[in-house]
Each structure stands twice: as C-alpha cells, then as structure tokens.
Amino acid sequence: MTSVAKRFRNALLLATFAAGLGTPVLAKEASVEVAVDTATTGPVIDKHIFGQFAEHLGTGIYGGVWVGKDSPIPNVRGIRTDVVTALKALKVPNVRWPGGCFADEYHWRDGIGPADKRRVQINTNWGGVPESNAFGTHEFMDFAEQIGSEAYISVNIGSGTAAEASAWIEYMTAEKDTTLAKERAANGHPAPWKVPILGLGNENWGCGGAMSAEHYVEEMKRFANFTRNFNPAQREKDKMKRIAVGWDGNKLDYTEEVMKAWSTHVYSWDIEGVSLHNYTTGGWPPHLPATGFGNDEYAIVINETLKMDSLIAKQSAIMDKYDPEKKLLIAVDEWGAWLSPTPGSNPGFLQQQNSLRDGILAALNLNIFARHADRVKIANIAQMVNVLQAMILTDGSKMVLTPTYHVFKMYVPFQDAQFAPVKFAAGELAVGDRKLPRVDAMAAKDKSGQVWVSLVNVDPDAGTSVTIPGFRTASGEVLTAPKVDSVNTFAAPSVVAPKAISGKPSGSGVTIALPPRSVTVVKVSK
C-alpha cells in the first residue's frame, strides 16, 4: 500500500469513528486463542444460577405477570400467556418471591382466600401505590408451575414473626392432616407444594430492619429453627435450602457473623447458604442513562460489573475460614444493572430500558458465576419483567423480549453442565481512562458430552477473531447490534436479536469471527 493510500485509509477510519457510523470495514481484527481443557473435571454449573426475581414492584407483577382472569389479554387463571410462553423457553430454574424489600413487609395471609376479602395496602417501598394482594401464594405457585420453575420463597424477618413464617411454610408444604393444609385445600390446592429454597429475610442490614449483624444472626437462628418444611417429598432428599443474609453492599460483617454462628450451630437450626447482593449502578444513587449513552458510559458499566468476581472471592474467603469443605453455597440472589428510571415513569417503579450493553453485562456475570461454580449455586437477576434489568417488557397487551432475555436463552445449554477450564489472553481495551478486558470466555460440557463455549467481545468498535484449538466445527448464535445502546422496542422488537454463527477449520482448530460488542455461544466438535 502506498503512503498516500495509507493516509487515505487512516483518514477514512478517523472520519468513520468521528461520525459514529460503527465499526470501519477496514479495521484490523485482533486474534485470540481460547484453549478449552475438556480433560479436567470441573464443578457443575448449577442450573439455579440462571434464576429469576419477581418482586411486588412497579409493573413487575401487576401488568407484567398478573392481568386478572377477566382481562382481555390472553391469560390462564389471570397469568398472561405470552409472558409464560417466553419464560418457558428460558427453562427458568427458580423464581425468588415476594421480594426484595417488599418481602420484609409481606404478610402472607393478606394474599390468600377470596379476592374481595384480601387486604389492600400501600406499597411503602416502591412508589407508594396501592397493593391489592391479588397476586398471593396460590397465584405465585401457579405461575411457577406454568413456567416450569421452582419456588424461592423469602420470609419476613423484618416486620414479621417466626410463628408467621412457620405457619406460611406449613400452609404451603403440609399434607392433608393439619388445619393449615385443610385451609390450603379449601382455597383450591389440596396437594402440598414444594419449597426448594427459603430466604431467611432480605437485606436486614437495610430495608429489612436496619439490624446489626449480631442481632440479625439471633433472629435468623430462630427462623431457621422454626420454619420447617413438611412436604414428604422433601424430608429425606431434595431438602429445602435455607439462605441467610450475607454481603451488605459495603462490608462483610453479616457474612462473618453468620458463618461464625453456623460453625458452632446446635442441632436445632441449620442453613445451607449465604446471600450476596450487588448491583451495577455506576455510583449511588443510580444515575447512568439506560439509553442514548456512548462508549464512556458503556465502559463505566462494564468495568463496575466485572468487580462481581472480587466480591464473590471476598465472600468465599470468609466462608472458607469456617467452611473449608464448601458445604454452604453462595446465592447471588440480587444482581444486575440498576440505571436511571425511564423518563416520565414513577421513579419508585425502577423501570428502565434494556440495551445490548445489558446483554453483555449479563453474559459477563454468568461467566463469573460459572468460574465460581464450586461455591455459587444460586443467582437471581433483578428482575424478571418490567423492573431493572428485565427479561421482558410489557405495555398493556404488548410484549417485547430484551437483549438480556436473549443471553439467558443462549446460555440454556450451560444449565447443569460441567465447567471446563479455559485459557486465553483477554487483551486490554482502553476506553477513556478505563481499561477493560477485550474478550471473555467460558466453557462447559453438558450431560451428553457436548462442549459449549461462550465468547464475549467487550470491544464496542472492533471485531475479534477467536481460534479454539482441538476442535474443527463450531456453530451457534451471536447477539450483537448496530450500537452498544441499541434496544428492542414494541415498534422494533428485533433490533437486538440472536443470529446464526459458525466457525471455519483453521490449522489445528476452528476459528470464529466475532463482531464488535457481541455475545456468542457455540457448540464445538472435533
């Protein structure tokens, strides 16, 4: 190439970037080798890290899941059909309900029995709007069954009592012989439900009662003692996992006190896990825009979300002191992007759009959870519908799937797959004064022996060529879009949608050309 041609090419590249027209076709792609170690036996990536979270918050339940039996929106027993169909495709393993902060003001008897007898109250946590309690225990369990999911129930430690929590679990799980079981049957469900996961409070260091760690531990021990599961199918195997509150967002005194108490616990109480909550906000209070942002804001969010790895490592280190055999799990049961509310919406509804950036954020977090699969066994993105980093957005009868939804669907093959270590040079991407890894990768082998690889190209502007040695074919899906802030709307629902991608044999491996700002999941074969 002559010097004149080179100057012309460079000028073209600069002009293209300045005009914001996307990746120049003449940009040179980086090349990365991702080596997958299929011979090493890694931990199972528990399907429950792909869990969801549904709180009585904004239109997350009312309008998003529940429309009522008389609604013109197609529904089954009041639960909207389009949302159920979409969620079934994700193979949702568990749904955490009723909160969140709402859980520590929730009294389960307000949400059972005839609809016209249920208590109407003010949702003091979220928006100050009336809460009808039309969606209660029976409706939630019906919803979970319709989407093929298990229930993760959070009991009220903040404003409730151990007796109330105990009665609720008995109501849900006891057989026909008890008074509460008979009441459940009279309300329409004779058979006992399973409750596989039980949250012992929620953020009791904050909205759950502003308790000291020491006080919470004393309350937690009582609740763990008296909230018994009576379902006969859960007595010997598939026992209910009780999750204590851990990481408090700033320090780890809750985790320390919970683990210290557990290490010397007496026979009458026990737990199976400790929670960790962490949101990607870009600084508190959340203020970063969900749309109309550029590369700088993109880098702020990605840089912060990558800190999830060190948070898990810190909590794991404390748990390892008291539990070196890793008997207790970590439940990252609130995570995701918490951004500025949609303009014009009730700020207490935490409504926000969902961009390609959110899809990349989701993939990076799921990869982190997989790398900590020896300890992280449960995770719940916040939240399922219409709230924060949602899978689905609705408006009346309209529904649209978000980029985050598509990532979760692409990751279905990783549910209960065996983690396979990978080695790769992530590279370094400078965006402003922030340095990010250029790529991220994760791999696993499913129960049939098929190897799956996740490849995230973090670079918002340049493509990346990835070679996976030892394999000759690669096929799957890639999620990308014209810009990092591209979104799906009711009018244009497929701006960010997966497309087919495949690799080509190259030397001793297979090479895949990753577009900029993309998430790719492929199955690879030799």
Side-chain angles (χ1 to χ4, degrees):
M1 183 181 290
T2 66
S3 60
V4 174
K6 289 179 180 178
R7 287 198 299 271
F8 175 77
R9 182 196 65 175
N10 293 338
L12 177 61
L13 296 182
L14 289 172
T16 305
F17 279 119
L21 298 179
T23 304
V25 295
L26 295 177
K28 183 179 180 181
E29 292 186 344
S31 180
V32 179
E33 182 175 284
V34 175
V36 181
D37 181 2
T38 57
T40 299
T41 301
V44 170
I45 303 170
D46 198 302
K47 67 180 180 180
H48 286 289
I49 73 166
F50 300 93
Q52 301 287 334
F53 178 27
E55 184 169 5
H56 289 239
L57 196 173
T59 57
I61 297 292
Y62 300 109
V65 171
W66 177 260
V67 292
K69 299 174 184 177
D70 298 327
S71 173
I73 299 172
N75 68 85
V76 175
R77 295 180 293 279
I79 297 164
R80 56 187 299 162
T81 303
D82 54 356
V83 168
V84 166
T85 301
L87 292 172
K88 285 177 70 175
L90 297 185
K91 300 187 183 300
V92 177
N94 75 83
V95 182
R96 182 172 178 252
W97 175 84
C101 293
F102 183 83
D104 272 301
E105 289 195 59
Y106 185 69
H107 301 282
W108 66 274
R109 281 201 166 275
D110 295 338
I112 63 170
D116 61 349
K117 302 296 184 183
R118 298 189 186 186
R119 178 191 175 202
V120 178
Q121 63 194 95
I122 298 299
N123 189 330
T124 58
N125 285 290
W126 306 118
V129 296
E131 163 61 53
S132 67
N133 281 302
F135 190 89
T137 302
H138 288 256
E139 291 76 20
F140 170 71
M141 288 299 196
D142 187 9
F143 169 64
E145 289 171 1
Q146 286 191 38
I147 67 172
S149 181
E150 296 181 348
Y152 180 173
I153 301 293
S154 293
V155 296
N156 180 351
I157 285 184
S159 66
T161 66
E164 179 186 25
S166 176
W168 191 18
I169 304 305
E170 181 183 344
Y171 179 87
M172 288 187 282
T173 65
E175 293 186 276
K176 60 184 178 181
D177 297 333
T178 76
T179 298
L180 287 172
K182 291 176 182 178
E183 184 179 7
R184 183 192 66 235
N187 286 332
H189 203 276
W193 286 299
K194 286 185 178 182
V195 178
I197 311 170
L198 188 77
L200 299 172
N202 168 79
E203 296 187 4
N204 297 96
W205 37 264
C207 64
M211 301 176 187
S212 68
E214 293 80 5
H215 180 66
Y216 168 75
V217 165
E218 293 307 307
E219 293 293 318
M220 179 271 293
K221 289 192 291 187
R222 289 197 308 118
F223 277 70
N225 186 5
F226 293 112
T227 49
R228 301 181 181 94
N229 190 313
F230 294 94
N231 191 310
Q234 294 188 265
R235 289 176 185 169
E236 299 301 326
K237 62 178 183 177
D238 300 326
K239 289 186 177 181
M240 183 173 69
K241 295 178 175 65
R242 292 155 292 186
I243 310 300
V245 174
W247 169 261
D248 68 356
N250 295 301
K251 51 191 177 185
L252 284 157
D253 56 339
Y254 259 59
T255 301
E256 186 83 44
E257 291 301 321
V258 166
M259 293 303 301
K260 187 187 301 181
W262 175 83
S263 67
T264 58
H265 76 279
V266 297
Y267 76 95
S268 59
W269 74 273
D270 202 352
I271 58 174
E272 285 70 40
V274 185
S275 73
L276 186 161
H277 290 184
N278 185 64
Y279 288 95
T280 301
T281 65
W284 196 263
H287 61 280
L288 291 180
T291 59
F293 56 84
N295 282 1
D296 285 344
E297 293 92 343
Y298 169 78
I300 290 171
V301 167
I302 298 302
N303 181 62
E304 184 177 317
T305 208
L306 290 170
K307 295 176 182 178
M308 177 66 82
D309 184 72
S310 63
L311 295 181
I312 293 172
K314 289 177 182 177
Q315 177 142 322
S316 293
I318 291 175
M319 295 175 73
D320 286 348
K321 286 196 304 182
Y322 302 98
D323 176 29
E325 296 178 356
K326 299 186 186 295
K327 293 180 179 179
L328 301 194
L329 60 86
I330 288 178
V332 189
D333 51 20
E334 286 190 32
W335 69 274
W338 189 331
L339 305 170
S340 180
T342 299
S345 67
N346 183 329
F349 283 9
L350 306 189
Q351 176 184 324
Q352 65 190 45
Q353 247 294 3
N354 196 292
S355 69
L356 176 61
R357 177 181 65 182
D358 295 300
I360 293 171
L361 180 153
L364 292 171
N365 277 277
L366 293 172
N367 288 359
I368 290 170
F369 300 154
R371 285 192 278 269
H372 290 278
D374 60 337
R375 185 70 90 170
V376 177
K377 304 292 183 181
I378 298 171
N380 302 80
I381 190 168
Q383 292 186 9
M384 180 177 275
V385 186
N386 289 337
V387 177
L388 298 177
Q389 191 175 346
M391 305 290 112
I392 296 169
L393 303 177
T394 67
D395 182 9
S397 62
K398 296 178 287 187
M399 183 191 80
V400 67
L401 306 178
T402 69
T404 301
Y405 173 94
H406 292 306
V407 167
F408 268 70
K409 189 175 180 185
M410 291 165 65
Y411 271 62
V412 166
F414 292 109
Q415 293 191 17
D416 283 340
Q418 192 170 52
F419 181 78
V422 295
K423 291 183 179 179
F424 62 97
E428 187 175 90
L429 173 66
V431 182
D433 59 353
R434 290 174 177 80
K435 291 180 171 57
L436 307 173
R438 189 174 295 276
V439 297
D440 190 51
M442 185 268 291
K445 185 187 297 184
D446 67 22
K447 292 179 180 178
S448 71
Q450 176 65 61
V451 177
W452 296 84
V453 182
S454 160
L455 302 166
V456 182
N457 184 7
V458 177
D459 195 320
D461 296 315
T464 299
S465 177
V466 169
T467 298
I468 306 175
F471 296 90
R472 302 302 291 167
T473 67
S475 62
E477 291 184 314
V478 58
L479 186 74
T480 188
K483 299 183 294 181
V484 289
D485 70 336
S486 294
V487 299
N488 292 333
T489 65
F490 301 114
S494 301
V495 174
V496 190
K499 294 179 173 59
I501 191 171
S502 59
K504 296 180 179 179
S506 174
S508 60
V510 60
T511 298
I512 309 159
L514 305 182
R517 54 194 176 272
S518 63
V519 178
T520 299
V521 174
V522 290
K523 59 180 179 180
V524 294
S525 301
K526 296 184 177 180

